[in-house]
Amino acid sequence: MAIEIVTRQSAGPKLLRESLDEDSIDPIRWRRSWCISSGVLKAIAELIPETGHNPFQIICGTSSGAINAAKLATEADNFHESVRQLDYLWSQIRSEAIHHVGFAALTKSMLKLVGSFFHSGIAKGRPLSLFDNRPLEQLLNANVNIERLQLMLDTNQLNALCITALGYTSGENVSFYQSNEEIEAWQRGRRIGVRTRLSRAHILASSALPTIFPAVKIHREYFGDGALRQTAPMSAALHLGADKLFVIGVSGYSKAVDRRQITNHSPSLAQVLAQLMNSAFIDSMDEDLIMLQRFNQFIELMTPEQRLALNARPVETLIIEPSVEFDKVAENFIACLPKSMKLLLKIIGANSKGGGSSLASYILFEHEYCTELMACGYRDAMAQAEEIRQFIGSCGINN
């Protein structure tokens, strides 16, 4: 079973053939929908027996979802308790727990940006960013005991944890993984897999939204948000051995009816930035999922002999799609942000009037907003409760 997103590259079927000869292993994957996925996880926890067994053997986390992924992986010996802790964490979250807030902190960041203009755009000290996310480091120290990961692997509570980040110098989308098996590293164009001992630095790097949070140096290179240039979101899980995918979608756009509206003003800065962010965080996921469905249909048309010759078989999937659009939900909770952030968002047009509410959804670390998203994720999962039970049962997890 897995939460997984699919590749749209032509190399996808090859990757599937390479990976599907492995035993059934279940990856779980997050990206932007960290609160949605927490709600779905809460539903799953209610639908399966509370045995302590972790239903996901491979866990892949990208962007903000790397936090959830690491939390679940490091407490793989008690799935239900880790889900309860995640639910509590996000239901109590405030922006202050993620980054410094206030006019003084924002002014300091702006002055640092101006100062970089006199040094070829390079900042002295910490990398350039709009917000200082040192509070997030403290949150990770308090809530994610990454040192337990190797214990979970050694006791076979987990097969692998994979966290993806983008190298700003190389332009490579790197999937850092720690596993209990000798899994060969891979390279496909600018997508590579690197076996390593994961740390909180990998989580911070993967969740470092471009320009919003500072890049993180890992070994010889600075890394940022793993959703950038991640053209094949499913490839890492496939390389790690997945063949059953539990997919949590990241937007409600696929269900939305596209009706063009008359535009009364030019796009605001926030609206332009929001489209750029959405192209990195949403579009590839939605289209990759379509690619997987088409691949499964193609395999179904093959004869048994053809499948055997190509070493290919359908990838069993269960998809939970959000019934809401994040930007529309975000509009209702911008008022919950600290005054300095509300002013900043208003200036750049990140509101309903400026058309850039989608940008606000990326930095709305307020418990009112997160609680609403978790409730939506929970409802969407419970609407498919019987399908989830059957899917998990087919993986032999209810025994």
Side-chain angles (χ1 to χ4, degrees), residues 192-225:
I192 67 173
V194 175
R195 183 166 185 166
T196 188
R197 192 173 186 89
L198 293 171
S199 67
R200 293 182 184 89
H202 295 91
I203 305 172
L204 286 169
S206 184
S207 58
L209 289 164
T211 71
I212 296 176
F213 295 139
V216 178
K217 192 171 185 179
I218 300 176
H219 304 306
R220 65 181 182 275
E221 187 175 8
Y222 281 93
F223 286 84
D225 200 294

PDB file of all heavy atoms in Angstrom, residues 192-225:
ATOM      1  N   ILE A 192      18.538  11.474  -9.122  1.00  0.00           N
ATOM      2  CA  ILE A 192      19.465  10.475  -8.599  1.00  0.00           C
ATOM      3  C   ILE A 192      19.025  10.018  -7.214  1.00  0.00           C
ATOM      4  O   ILE A 192      18.340  10.738  -6.484  1.00  0.00           O
ATOM      5  CB  ILE A 192      20.910  11.007  -8.543  1.00  0.00           C
ATOM      6  CG1 ILE A 192      21.040  12.134  -7.516  1.00  0.00           C
ATOM      7  CG2 ILE A 192      21.368  11.490  -9.907  1.00  0.00           C
ATOM      8  CD1 ILE A 192      22.478  12.577  -7.315  1.00  0.00           C
ATOM      9  N   GLY A 193      19.420   8.808  -6.874  1.00  0.00           N
ATOM     10  CA  GLY A 193      19.172   8.265  -5.554  1.00  0.00           C
ATOM     11  C   GLY A 193      20.498   8.067  -4.843  1.00  0.00           C
ATOM     12  O   GLY A 193      21.436   7.510  -5.418  1.00  0.00           O
ATOM     13  N   VAL A 194      20.590   8.531  -3.604  1.00  0.00           N
ATOM     14  CA  VAL A 194      21.831   8.460  -2.837  1.00  0.00           C
ATOM     15  C   VAL A 194      21.559   7.808  -1.494  1.00  0.00           C
ATOM     16  O   VAL A 194      20.738   8.303  -0.712  1.00  0.00           O
ATOM     17  CB  VAL A 194      22.433   9.864  -2.618  1.00  0.00           C
ATOM     18  CG1 VAL A 194      23.661   9.783  -1.714  1.00  0.00           C
ATOM     19  CG2 VAL A 194      22.785  10.509  -3.942  1.00  0.00           C
ATOM     20  N   ARG A 195      22.246   6.717  -1.238  1.00  0.00           N
ATOM     21  CA  ARG A 195      22.100   6.072   0.061  1.00  0.00           C
ATOM     22  C   ARG A 195      22.944   6.825   1.083  1.00  0.00           C
ATOM     23  O   ARG A 195      24.114   7.131   0.846  1.00  0.00           O
ATOM     24  CB  ARG A 195      22.548   4.611  -0.009  1.00  0.00           C
ATOM     25  CG  ARG A 195      22.340   3.872   1.305  1.00  0.00           C
ATOM     26  CD  ARG A 195      22.460   2.389   1.150  1.00  0.00           C
ATOM     27  NE  ARG A 195      22.135   1.717   2.394  1.00  0.00           N
ATOM     28  CZ  ARG A 195      21.897   0.411   2.504  1.00  0.00           C
ATOM     29  NH1 ARG A 195      21.936  -0.349   1.419  1.00  0.00           N
ATOM     30  NH2 ARG A 195      21.611  -0.126   3.664  1.00  0.00           N
ATOM     31  N   THR A 196      22.357   7.139   2.232  1.00  0.00           N
ATOM     32  CA  THR A 196      23.043   7.929   3.235  1.00  0.00           C
ATOM     33  C   THR A 196      22.414   7.683   4.592  1.00  0.00           C
ATOM     34  O   THR A 196      21.423   6.955   4.706  1.00  0.00           O
ATOM     35  CB  THR A 196      22.973   9.436   2.884  1.00  0.00           C
ATOM     36  OG1 THR A 196      23.810  10.173   3.769  1.00  0.00           O
ATOM     37  CG2 THR A 196      21.544   9.952   2.993  1.00  0.00           C
ATOM     38  N   ARG A 197      22.981   8.275   5.610  1.00  0.00           N
ATOM     39  CA  ARG A 197      22.352   8.258   6.932  1.00  0.00           C
ATOM     40  C   ARG A 197      21.588   9.570   7.071  1.00  0.00           C
ATOM     41  O   ARG A 197      22.182  10.648   7.129  1.00  0.00           O
ATOM     42  CB  ARG A 197      23.395   8.115   8.043  1.00  0.00           C
ATOM     43  CG  ARG A 197      22.768   7.811   9.404  1.00  0.00           C
ATOM     44  CD  ARG A 197      23.823   7.497  10.452  1.00  0.00           C
ATOM     45  NE  ARG A 197      23.206   7.066  11.700  1.00  0.00           N
ATOM     46  CZ  ARG A 197      22.903   5.823  12.003  1.00  0.00           C
ATOM     47  NH1 ARG A 197      23.180   4.854  11.132  1.00  0.00           N
ATOM     48  NH2 ARG A 197      22.346   5.503  13.159  1.00  0.00           N
ATOM     49  N   LEU A 198      20.291   9.487   7.111  1.00  0.00           N
ATOM     50  CA  LEU A 198      19.452  10.681   7.111  1.00  0.00           C
ATOM     51  C   LEU A 198      19.552  11.443   8.436  1.00  0.00           C
ATOM     52  O   LEU A 198      19.767  10.845   9.498  1.00  0.00           O
ATOM     53  CB  LEU A 198      18.001  10.299   6.845  1.00  0.00           C
ATOM     54  CG  LEU A 198      17.718   9.743   5.442  1.00  0.00           C
ATOM     55  CD1 LEU A 198      16.290   9.196   5.359  1.00  0.00           C
ATOM     56  CD2 LEU A 198      17.932  10.815   4.387  1.00  0.00           C
ATOM     57  N   SER A 199      19.385  12.744   8.331  1.00  0.00           N
ATOM     58  CA  SER A 199      19.444  13.617   9.500  1.00  0.00           C
ATOM     59  C   SER A 199      18.355  14.672   9.393  1.00  0.00           C
ATOM     60  O   SER A 199      17.636  14.751   8.390  1.00  0.00           O
ATOM     61  CB  SER A 199      20.814  14.296   9.585  1.00  0.00           C
ATOM     62  OG  SER A 199      20.984  15.199   8.502  1.00  0.00           O
ATOM     63  N   ARG A 200      18.248  15.494  10.408  1.00  0.00           N
ATOM     64  CA  ARG A 200      17.254  16.569  10.365  1.00  0.00           C
ATOM     65  C   ARG A 200      17.583  17.585   9.276  1.00  0.00           C
ATOM     66  O   ARG A 200      16.691  18.280   8.783  1.00  0.00           O
ATOM     67  CB  ARG A 200      17.168  17.254  11.727  1.00  0.00           C
ATOM     68  CG  ARG A 200      16.611  16.342  12.824  1.00  0.00           C
ATOM     69  CD  ARG A 200      16.497  17.069  14.157  1.00  0.00           C
ATOM     70  NE  ARG A 200      16.058  16.155  15.214  1.00  0.00           N
ATOM     71  CZ  ARG A 200      16.888  15.427  15.964  1.00  0.00           C
ATOM     72  NH1 ARG A 200      18.206  15.518  15.762  1.00  0.00           N
ATOM     73  NH2 ARG A 200      16.430  14.617  16.889  1.00  0.00           N
ATOM     74  N   ALA A 201      18.857  17.664   8.898  1.00  0.00           N
ATOM     75  CA  ALA A 201      19.247  18.579   7.820  1.00  0.00           C
ATOM     76  C   ALA A 201      18.552  18.209   6.519  1.00  0.00           C
ATOM     77  O   ALA A 201      18.166  19.087   5.739  1.00  0.00           O
ATOM     78  CB  ALA A 201      20.765  18.555   7.629  1.00  0.00           C
ATOM     79  N   HIS A 202      18.365  16.916   6.268  1.00  0.00           N
ATOM     80  CA  HIS A 202      17.675  16.485   5.051  1.00  0.00           C
ATOM     81  C   HIS A 202      16.204  16.913   5.078  1.00  0.00           C
ATOM     82  O   HIS A 202      15.643  17.304   4.043  1.00  0.00           O
ATOM     83  CB  HIS A 202      17.771  14.967   4.890  1.00  0.00           C
ATOM     84  CG  HIS A 202      19.159  14.461   4.665  1.00  0.00           C
ATOM     85  ND1 HIS A 202      19.997  14.085   5.693  1.00  0.00           N
ATOM     86  CD2 HIS A 202      19.875  14.289   3.519  1.00  0.00           C
ATOM     87  CE1 HIS A 202      21.153  13.694   5.202  1.00  0.00           C
ATOM     88  NE2 HIS A 202      21.111  13.801   3.890  1.00  0.00           N
ATOM     89  N   ILE A 203      15.590  16.854   6.255  1.00  0.00           N
ATOM     90  CA  ILE A 203      14.195  17.282   6.388  1.00  0.00           C
ATOM     91  C   ILE A 203      14.079  18.779   6.147  1.00  0.00           C
ATOM     92  O   ILE A 203      13.196  19.250   5.422  1.00  0.00           O
ATOM     93  CB  ILE A 203      13.649  16.921   7.783  1.00  0.00           C
ATOM     94  CG1 ILE A 203      13.834  15.427   8.065  1.00  0.00           C
ATOM     95  CG2 ILE A 203      12.175  17.302   7.896  1.00  0.00           C
ATOM     96  CD1 ILE A 203      13.493  15.033   9.492  1.00  0.00           C
ATOM     97  N   LEU A 204      14.985  19.546   6.753  1.00  0.00           N
ATOM     98  CA  LEU A 204      14.975  20.996   6.578  1.00  0.00           C
ATOM     99  C   LEU A 204      15.199  21.379   5.125  1.00  0.00           C
ATOM    100  O   LEU A 204      14.561  22.294   4.602  1.00  0.00           O
ATOM    101  CB  LEU A 204      16.056  21.634   7.457  1.00  0.00           C
ATOM    102  CG  LEU A 204      15.765  21.689   8.957  1.00  0.00           C
ATOM    103  CD1 LEU A 204      17.021  22.093   9.720  1.00  0.00           C
ATOM    104  CD2 LEU A 204      14.626  22.661   9.254  1.00  0.00           C
ATOM    105  N   ALA A 205      16.107  20.672   4.458  1.00  0.00           N
ATOM    106  CA  ALA A 205      16.398  20.972   3.054  1.00  0.00           C
ATOM    107  C   ALA A 205      15.181  20.693   2.182  1.00  0.00           C
ATOM    108  O   ALA A 205      14.796  21.506   1.337  1.00  0.00           O
ATOM    109  CB  ALA A 205      17.591  20.154   2.580  1.00  0.00           C
ATOM    110  N   SER A 206      14.568  19.533   2.380  1.00  0.00           N
ATOM    111  CA  SER A 206      13.425  19.152   1.552  1.00  0.00           C
ATOM    112  C   SER A 206      12.252  20.098   1.731  1.00  0.00           C
ATOM    113  O   SER A 206      11.479  20.325   0.797  1.00  0.00           O
ATOM    114  CB  SER A 206      12.986  17.722   1.887  1.00  0.00           C
ATOM    115  OG  SER A 206      11.933  17.303   1.045  1.00  0.00           O
ATOM    116  N   SER A 207      12.109  20.684   2.920  1.00  0.00           N
ATOM    117  CA  SER A 207      10.981  21.562   3.204  1.00  0.00           C
ATOM    118  C   SER A 207      11.322  23.041   3.043  1.00  0.00           C
ATOM    119  O   SER A 207      10.526  23.903   3.413  1.00  0.00           O
ATOM    120  CB  SER A 207      10.469  21.316   4.631  1.00  0.00           C
ATOM    121  OG  SER A 207      11.496  21.527   5.580  1.00  0.00           O
ATOM    122  N   ALA A 208      12.505  23.329   2.494  1.00  0.00           N
ATOM    123  CA  ALA A 208      12.931  24.717   2.327  1.00  0.00           C
ATOM    124  C   ALA A 208      12.307  25.314   1.073  1.00  0.00           C
ATOM    125  O   ALA A 208      12.889  25.288  -0.028  1.00  0.00           O
ATOM    126  CB  ALA A 208      14.458  24.801   2.258  1.00  0.00           C
ATOM    127  N   LEU A 209      11.106  25.848   1.210  1.00  0.00           N
ATOM    128  CA  LEU A 209      10.412  26.472   0.081  1.00  0.00           C
ATOM    129  C   LEU A 209      11.304  27.536  -0.554  1.00  0.00           C
ATOM    130  O   LEU A 209      11.897  28.354   0.152  1.00  0.00           O
ATOM    131  CB  LEU A 209       9.111  27.115   0.553  1.00  0.00           C
ATOM    132  CG  LEU A 209       7.987  26.159   0.965  1.00  0.00           C
ATOM    133  CD1 LEU A 209       6.943  26.898   1.770  1.00  0.00           C
ATOM    134  CD2 LEU A 209       7.376  25.508  -0.255  1.00  0.00           C
ATOM    135  N   PRO A 210      11.423  27.548  -1.877  1.00  0.00           N
ATOM    136  CA  PRO A 210      12.336  28.479  -2.542  1.00  0.00           C
ATOM    137  C   PRO A 210      12.034  29.936  -2.215  1.00  0.00           C
ATOM    138  O   PRO A 210      10.882  30.368  -2.294  1.00  0.00           O
ATOM    139  CB  PRO A 210      12.126  28.166  -4.030  1.00  0.00           C
ATOM    140  CG  PRO A 210      10.787  27.500  -4.110  1.00  0.00           C
ATOM    141  CD  PRO A 210      10.660  26.732  -2.839  1.00  0.00           C
ATOM    142  N   THR A 211      13.084  30.653  -1.846  1.00  0.00           N
ATOM    143  CA  THR A 211      13.073  32.076  -1.458  1.00  0.00           C
ATOM    144  C   THR A 211      12.372  32.321  -0.119  1.00  0.00           C
ATOM    145  O   THR A 211      12.602  33.338   0.522  1.00  0.00           O
ATOM    146  CB  THR A 211      12.405  32.974  -2.514  1.00  0.00           C
ATOM    147  OG1 THR A 211      10.988  32.749  -2.524  1.00  0.00           O
ATOM    148  CG2 THR A 211      12.968  32.734  -3.909  1.00  0.00           C
ATOM    149  N   ILE A 212      11.540  31.412   0.328  1.00  0.00           N
ATOM    150  CA  ILE A 212      10.797  31.598   1.578  1.00  0.00           C
ATOM    151  C   ILE A 212      11.618  31.126   2.774  1.00  0.00           C
ATOM    152  O   ILE A 212      11.721  31.817   3.795  1.00  0.00           O
ATOM    153  CB  ILE A 212       9.443  30.878   1.516  1.00  0.00           C
ATOM    154  CG1 ILE A 212       8.565  31.516   0.428  1.00  0.00           C
ATOM    155  CG2 ILE A 212       8.734  30.919   2.864  1.00  0.00           C
ATOM    156  CD1 ILE A 212       7.239  30.841   0.214  1.00  0.00           C
ATOM    157  N   PHE A 213      12.228  29.935   2.672  1.00  0.00           N
ATOM    158  CA  PHE A 213      13.088  29.410   3.721  1.00  0.00           C
ATOM    159  C   PHE A 213      14.500  29.218   3.179  1.00  0.00           C
ATOM    160  O   PHE A 213      14.686  28.980   1.979  1.00  0.00           O
ATOM    161  CB  PHE A 213      12.554  28.072   4.253  1.00  0.00           C
ATOM    162  CG  PHE A 213      11.222  28.181   4.942  1.00  0.00           C
ATOM    163  CD1 PHE A 213      10.236  27.229   4.742  1.00  0.00           C
ATOM    164  CD2 PHE A 213      10.950  29.233   5.797  1.00  0.00           C
ATOM    165  CE1 PHE A 213       9.008  27.327   5.376  1.00  0.00           C
ATOM    166  CE2 PHE A 213       9.725  29.351   6.432  1.00  0.00           C
ATOM    167  CZ  PHE A 213       8.759  28.391   6.227  1.00  0.00           C
ATOM    168  N   PRO A 214      15.517  29.301   4.024  1.00  0.00           N
ATOM    169  CA  PRO A 214      16.909  29.214   3.551  1.00  0.00           C
ATOM    170  C   PRO A 214      17.289  27.819   3.073  1.00  0.00           C
ATOM    171  O   PRO A 214      16.805  26.811   3.598  1.00  0.00           O
ATOM    172  CB  PRO A 214      17.722  29.613   4.780  1.00  0.00           C
ATOM    173  CG  PRO A 214      16.843  29.264   5.945  1.00  0.00           C
ATOM    174  CD  PRO A 214      15.443  29.538   5.482  1.00  0.00           C
ATOM    175  N   ALA A 215      18.174  27.785   2.072  1.00  0.00           N
ATOM    176  CA  ALA A 215      18.722  26.521   1.605  1.00  0.00           C
ATOM    177  C   ALA A 215      19.589  25.904   2.707  1.00  0.00           C
ATOM    178  O   ALA A 215      20.056  26.597   3.613  1.00  0.00           O
ATOM    179  CB  ALA A 215      19.552  26.750   0.341  1.00  0.00           C
ATOM    180  N   VAL A 216      19.795  24.613   2.631  1.00  0.00           N
ATOM    181  CA  VAL A 216      20.542  23.880   3.659  1.00  0.00           C
ATOM    182  C   VAL A 216      21.718  23.168   3.003  1.00  0.00           C
ATOM    183  O   VAL A 216      21.554  22.490   1.988  1.00  0.00           O
ATOM    184  CB  VAL A 216      19.637  22.853   4.372  1.00  0.00           C
ATOM    185  CG1 VAL A 216      20.431  22.068   5.412  1.00  0.00           C
ATOM    186  CG2 VAL A 216      18.448  23.546   5.026  1.00  0.00           C
ATOM    187  N   LYS A 217      22.895  23.310   3.602  1.00  0.00           N
ATOM    188  CA  LYS A 217      24.078  22.658   3.046  1.00  0.00           C
ATOM    189  C   LYS A 217      24.179  21.223   3.538  1.00  0.00           C
ATOM    190  O   LYS A 217      24.169  20.955   4.743  1.00  0.00           O
ATOM    191  CB  LYS A 217      25.347  23.423   3.413  1.00  0.00           C
ATOM    192  CG  LYS A 217      26.568  22.952   2.622  1.00  0.00           C
ATOM    193  CD  LYS A 217      27.765  23.847   2.837  1.00  0.00           C
ATOM    194  CE  LYS A 217      28.926  23.427   1.935  1.00  0.00           C
ATOM    195  NZ  LYS A 217      30.107  24.307   2.104  1.00  0.00           N
ATOM    196  N   ILE A 218      24.238  20.298   2.595  1.00  0.00           N
ATOM    197  CA  ILE A 218      24.427  18.876   2.887  1.00  0.00           C
ATOM    198  C   ILE A 218      25.649  18.422   2.108  1.00  0.00           C
ATOM    199  O   ILE A 218      25.659  18.463   0.878  1.00  0.00           O
ATOM    200  CB  ILE A 218      23.193  18.043   2.494  1.00  0.00           C
ATOM    201  CG1 ILE A 218      21.967  18.523   3.262  1.00  0.00           C
ATOM    202  CG2 ILE A 218      23.439  16.563   2.756  1.00  0.00           C
ATOM    203  CD1 ILE A 218      20.681  17.827   2.867  1.00  0.00           C
ATOM    204  N   HIS A 219      26.666  18.015   2.819  1.00  0.00           N
ATOM    205  CA  HIS A 219      27.939  17.647   2.198  1.00  0.00           C
ATOM    206  C   HIS A 219      28.505  18.856   1.446  1.00  0.00           C
ATOM    207  O   HIS A 219      28.803  19.867   2.044  1.00  0.00           O
ATOM    208  CB  HIS A 219      27.771  16.422   1.296  1.00  0.00           C
ATOM    209  CG  HIS A 219      27.190  15.238   2.000  1.00  0.00           C
ATOM    210  ND1 HIS A 219      27.726  14.713   3.156  1.00  0.00           N
ATOM    211  CD2 HIS A 219      26.097  14.469   1.724  1.00  0.00           C
ATOM    212  CE1 HIS A 219      27.001  13.672   3.568  1.00  0.00           C
ATOM    213  NE2 HIS A 219      26.002  13.517   2.721  1.00  0.00           N
ATOM    214  N   ARG A 220      28.601  18.787   0.139  1.00  0.00           N
ATOM    215  CA  ARG A 220      29.285  19.847  -0.606  1.00  0.00           C
ATOM    216  C   ARG A 220      28.339  20.835  -1.284  1.00  0.00           C
ATOM    217  O   ARG A 220      28.792  21.752  -1.965  1.00  0.00           O
ATOM    218  CB  ARG A 220      30.173  19.212  -1.686  1.00  0.00           C
ATOM    219  CG  ARG A 220      29.406  18.459  -2.768  1.00  0.00           C
ATOM    220  CD  ARG A 220      30.331  17.838  -3.803  1.00  0.00           C
ATOM    221  NE  ARG A 220      29.600  17.161  -4.862  1.00  0.00           N
ATOM    222  CZ  ARG A 220      29.163  15.917  -4.792  1.00  0.00           C
ATOM    223  NH1 ARG A 220      29.393  15.207  -3.689  1.00  0.00           N
ATOM    224  NH2 ARG A 220      28.515  15.359  -5.797  1.00  0.00           N
ATOM    225  N   GLU A 221      27.037  20.676  -1.121  1.00  0.00           N
ATOM    226  CA  GLU A 221      26.095  21.469  -1.911  1.00  0.00           C
ATOM    227  C   GLU A 221      24.939  21.963  -1.055  1.00  0.00           C
ATOM    228  O   GLU A 221      24.569  21.348  -0.053  1.00  0.00           O
ATOM    229  CB  GLU A 221      25.564  20.607  -3.065  1.00  0.00           C
ATOM    230  CG  GLU A 221      24.705  21.342  -4.072  1.00  0.00           C
ATOM    231  CD  GLU A 221      24.330  20.443  -5.255  1.00  0.00           C
ATOM    232  OE1 GLU A 221      24.610  19.231  -5.191  1.00  0.00           O
ATOM    233  OE2 GLU A 221      23.748  20.970  -6.220  1.00  0.00           O
ATOM    234  N   TYR A 222      24.361  23.093  -1.464  1.00  0.00           N
ATOM    235  CA  TYR A 222      23.160  23.609  -0.807  1.00  0.00           C
ATOM    236  C   TYR A 222      21.915  23.030  -1.478  1.00  0.00           C
ATOM    237  O   TYR A 222      21.835  22.970  -2.709  1.00  0.00           O
ATOM    238  CB  TYR A 222      23.112  25.140  -0.881  1.00  0.00           C
ATOM    239  CG  TYR A 222      24.002  25.816   0.137  1.00  0.00           C
ATOM    240  CD1 TYR A 222      25.304  26.180  -0.185  1.00  0.00           C
ATOM    241  CD2 TYR A 222      23.538  26.078   1.427  1.00  0.00           C
ATOM    242  CE1 TYR A 222      26.132  26.795   0.750  1.00  0.00           C
ATOM    243  CE2 TYR A 222      24.350  26.692   2.374  1.00  0.00           C
ATOM    244  CZ  TYR A 222      25.648  27.045   2.026  1.00  0.00           C
ATOM    245  OH  TYR A 222      26.454  27.649   2.959  1.00  0.00           O
ATOM    246  N   PHE A 223      20.945  22.644  -0.640  1.00  0.00           N
ATOM    247  CA  PHE A 223      19.727  22.013  -1.141  1.00  0.00           C
ATOM    248  C   PHE A 223      18.494  22.790  -0.709  1.00  0.00           C
ATOM    249  O   PHE A 223      18.485  23.466   0.330  1.00  0.00           O
ATOM    250  CB  PHE A 223      19.615  20.577  -0.619  1.00  0.00           C
ATOM    251  CG  PHE A 223      20.555  19.612  -1.283  1.00  0.00           C
ATOM    252  CD1 PHE A 223      21.867  19.472  -0.849  1.00  0.00           C
ATOM    253  CD2 PHE A 223      20.132  18.851  -2.365  1.00  0.00           C
ATOM    254  CE1 PHE A 223      22.741  18.595  -1.461  1.00  0.00           C
ATOM    255  CE2 PHE A 223      20.989  17.963  -2.992  1.00  0.00           C
ATOM    256  CZ  PHE A 223      22.299  17.838  -2.538  1.00  0.00           C
ATOM    257  N   GLY A 224      17.444  22.674  -1.548  1.00  0.00           N
ATOM    258  CA  GLY A 224      16.162  23.304  -1.252  1.00  0.00           C
ATOM    259  C   GLY A 224      15.013  22.349  -1.500  1.00  0.00           C
ATOM    260  O   GLY A 224      15.202  21.134  -1.630  1.00  0.00           O
ATOM    261  N   ASP A 225      13.833  22.883  -1.598  1.00  0.00           N
ATOM    262  CA  ASP A 225      12.603  22.094  -1.672  1.00  0.00           C
ATOM    263  C   ASP A 225      12.665  20.988  -2.719  1.00  0.00           C
ATOM    264  O   ASP A 225      12.961  21.221  -3.888  1.00  0.00           O
ATOM    265  CB  ASP A 225      11.422  23.017  -1.977  1.00  0.00           C
ATOM    266  CG  ASP A 225      10.106  22.381  -1.596  1.00  0.00           C
ATOM    267  OD1 ASP A 225       9.728  21.376  -2.223  1.00  0.00           O
ATOM    268  OD2 ASP A 225       9.456  22.882  -0.674  1.00  0.00           O
TER     269      ASP A 225
END
